[in-house]
Amino acid sequence: MSEDKGGLLCIRKKHIDARLDLSGISKGWAVDEIASKLPSPCYVEWGGDIKVRGQHPSGRPWIIAVPEPPTLDELHKRLASAQKAGQKGPVYTLSDHEQKDDDDNDDNSNSKKYLAILELQDGDAVATSGDYEKIIYKEGKMYSHVINPQLGRLLQLNQVTLAQSVVVCKSCMFADALATAAMSREDISSARTLLEPFRTGFREPVTDFILYARRGPRIVRMLVPGLEQKEDRERRLARHTPAKVIVVGSGLAGMSAAIEAADAGASVIILEKESKTGGNSAKATSGISGWGTETQARQGVADEERLFERDTFLSGLGGQSTPSLVRTLSTKSAPAIHWLLHRFNIPLTVLSQLGGHSAKRTHRAPPDENGRPVPIGFFIMKTLRDAVENEYKGNIEIKCGHSVTSLIHKVDEHNVKTVTGVQVKTEGEIREINADAVVLATGGFGCSLSEDGLMARFRP
């Protein structure tokens, strides 16, 4: 390892014939180790195994393309090229560049197809396993170097079995092992069954995977229940027309709603009755509860959807809660924590087990440099307020000291009411603000003190 003229650390070969041959998961381990020794940001790639740290120097996430595996006809052409180049069987190393001198092939065009474009965040690693780079050719048949341990045989290349698996997680070594293990299952459904449990309850949880078979082709990608995929989100946002949105309340719910609305292209006004933002969220000190998070996985906390939902049901009056709302809370809990963790770099890395919980699932920030506890509610709200003021100038306007007294609505010929704005009291004056949509994020349970109020009815 040496420094170049720009002061960057580089690894160079001192001899042109020097090679490193790492078998099994050692290549993934080596990529992890190299990335850990290099300064951030960095991008480490070794034979298809990738690890990134930090962001791309341009400020965006790292982006990689996953190419579509070659067809069986293309592999036969590569095999012929390898034999022509002097490779001796039965084991052949195939690569697309070996056939560039063949006039009869059509694999040298620039029309390379890709299965997916992956955006990698800080610490993400990708490993790919396939049946196309190293094959065993015997009696006219091609076999992969991967072995099915259950059947005790090499994988034969064909149209229907798994041809490629791609795994994304925070450890390249684990991604390497899981990608190869998935290939060994041969069948896509079986490989998916193998990988799904590693999405939660694993020290380096799988955040994405892609499974590919040639016939069709058939492509299976990891889908988290209730979590909107990036492609679907982009299509949804593209359909939005510019709108004016009012968000009532500036706590965590209100700030989150305002940011999401602004990301969808809306012009947003946040109305807060108090003199400063934050609401009750800024006073919260316990943390945020969620199951199936990266933090739980890294600390080996075994938590499940059924446990989270059972604890939530039991917290309701008489053990009763609305099932659909409990399911929504459960399904969205981990994505909400990851949104704060990755979108705003809020370090929700400390876990606690509070009363009524059957596992450690309340996420907090670590103590400050002096060992003092960080008031997590205030910390989160300050971070979001700073983001709104710095990243969303011109898109989100915050108005404190504005108390919403009623909703404005119109009634159509079918007697259907549509909310068109709010009535606001500020500095003793009442005025109206019109909008295309109004989001109520006011909370209000805590101060509902009347005999027939919400607290008396649902939490006496």
Side-chain angles (χ1 to χ4, degrees):
M1 185 175 289
S2 60
E3 289 191 9
D4 66 4
K5 293 181 180 180
L8 296 176
L9 291 174
C10 302
I11 299 175
R12 295 187 177 90
K13 292 195 300 184
K14 291 187 176 180
H15 193 283
I16 192 171
D17 294 324
R19 299 182 66 184
L20 283 176
D21 186 5
L22 300 176
S23 62
I25 61 176
S26 300
K27 183 172 67 173
W29 172 84
V31 170
D32 284 332
E33 287 298 301
I34 293 171
S36 69
K37 299 297 190 294
L38 294 175
S40 180
C42 69
Y43 176 101
V44 180
E45 190 271 338
W46 189 336
D49 286 4
I50 298 170
K51 174 89 172 186
V52 302
R53 292 181 58 207
Q55 286 192 317
H56 187 275
S58 66
R60 59 168 173 78
W62 298 95
I63 298 175
I64 66 167
V66 179
E68 183 175 357
T71 65
L72 294 181
D73 288 341
E74 290 168 347
L75 286 177
H76 278 291
K77 291 178 181 180
R78 295 185 186 185
L79 174 62
S81 296
Q83 292 171 331
K84 184 178 179 180
Q87 286 195 42
K88 303 297 183 182
V91 180
Y92 295 89
T93 300
L94 308 183
S95 58
D96 54 4
H97 67 267
E98 286 178 351
Q99 52 182 350
K100 288 183 179 178
D101 296 329
D102 289 358
D103 295 329
D104 60 344
N105 74 78
D106 58 1
D107 195 41
N108 295 320
S109 67
N110 293 324
S111 58
K112 197 166 188 177
K113 297 180 179 179
Y114 295 94
L115 300 181
I117 304 296
L118 302 179
E119 287 190 1
L120 303 183
Q121 305 296 331
D122 180 25
D124 279 349
V126 183
T128 302
S129 183
D131 64 3
Y132 44 84
E133 290 194 348
K134 184 175 288 186
I135 68 165
I136 299 170
Y137 186 68
K138 189 173 183 180
E139 299 178 354
K141 297 180 179 179
M142 292 186 292
Y143 298 88
S144 167
H145 66 289
V146 178
I147 297 174
N148 184 326
Q150 293 178 316
L151 301 178
R153 70 182 185 192
L154 293 170
L155 275 58
Q156 183 179 344
L157 276 64
N158 56 53
Q159 296 283 5
V160 296
T161 58
L162 198 57
Q164 178 176 264
S165 62
V166 181
V167 175
V168 182
C169 72
K170 295 296 184 181
S171 164
C172 198
M173 181 181 73
F174 285 128
D176 197 353
L178 291 172
T180 303
M183 283 294 299
S184 73
R185 302 301 287 265
E186 299 192 49
D187 176 66
I188 278 190
S189 296
S190 180
R192 181 177 184 176
T193 301
L194 169 75
L195 294 174
E196 280 288 352
F198 291 96
R199 185 170 59 83
T200 60
F202 183 53
R203 188 161 65 90
E204 301 291 351
V206 171
T207 56
D208 201 358
F209 62 73
I210 302 172
L211 304 172
Y212 174 91
R214 292 185 175 89
R215 178 173 291 177
R218 185 182 179 194
I219 304 170
V220 172
R221 191 164 182 179
M222 188 180 87
L223 180 64
V224 179
L227 180 62
E228 185 179 40
Q229 298 299 302
K230 182 177 184 296
E231 297 82 2
D232 296 332
R233 174 180 169 81
E234 290 176 349
R235 283 194 291 267
R236 175 174 60 81
L237 295 183
R239 295 195 300 267
H240 282 282
T241 56
K244 183 177 180 181
V245 176
I246 292 174
V247 177
V248 185
S250 66
L252 181 53
M255 285 290 188
S256 301
I259 290 170
E260 287 289 288
D263 285 342
S267 174
V268 184
I269 298 176
I270 299 176
L271 300 176
E272 170 57 52
K273 68 178 180 180
E274 303 295 340
S275 59
K276 57 184 179 181
T277 61
N280 283 334
S281 300
K283 304 172 186 177
T285 57
S286 297
I288 301 178
S289 295
W291 75 274
T293 66
E294 296 173 10
T295 302
Q296 284 184 317
R298 290 198 181 117
Q299 297 185 25
V301 175
D303 199 3
E304 299 178 43
E305 184 177 39
R306 64 182 182 87
L307 297 177
F308 184 98
E309 293 185 9
R310 183 198 65 185
D311 294 345
T312 305
F313 273 110
L314 293 176
S315 69
L317 178 62
Q320 299 296 315
S321 299
T322 304
S324 60
L325 295 180
V326 173
R327 174 53 59 91
T328 299
L329 176 65
S330 172
T331 302
K332 299 292 187 180
S333 63
I337 289 171
H338 294 157
W339 185 69
L340 294 171
L341 190 66
H342 299 303
R343 174 73 171 78
F344 301 100
N345 298 315
I346 297 173
L348 298 172
T349 56
V350 176
L351 292 174
S352 298
Q353 182 170 349
L354 301 186
H357 292 185
S358 52
K360 286 186 175 181
R361 62 167 71 109
T362 302
H363 296 66
R364 302 170 176 168
D368 63 19
E369 62 276 7
N370 298 315
R372 294 173 298 194
V374 173
I376 188 60
F378 176 81
F379 181 62
I380 291 175
M381 295 315 304
K382 183 179 184 306
T383 302
L384 294 189
R385 172 72 187 247
D386 291 344
V388 166
E389 292 180 342
N390 296 324
E391 299 178 32
Y392 292 90
K393 280 185 177 180
N395 300 101
I396 300 177
E397 181 183 4
I398 300 175
K399 292 180 176 290
C400 291
H402 285 62
S403 179
V404 174
T405 57
S406 64
L407 298 175
I408 304 170
H409 64 270
K410 63 181 181 181
V411 182
D412 63 14
E413 64 274 14
H414 303 291
N415 203 33
V416 176
K417 292 182 179 180
T418 301
V419 174
T420 59
V422 296
Q423 191 177 75
V424 178
K425 182 178 181 180
T426 177
E427 296 180 349
E429 296 183 1
I430 301 292
R431 65 188 185 95
E432 295 183 352
I433 304 177
N434 295 319
D436 299 296
V438 176
V439 179
L440 296 180
T442 55
F445 267 97
C447 289
S448 178
L449 303 179
S450 61
E451 293 182 358
D452 59 346
L454 296 176
M455 288 293 287
R457 290 160 56 195
F458 297 105
R459 192 67 173 172

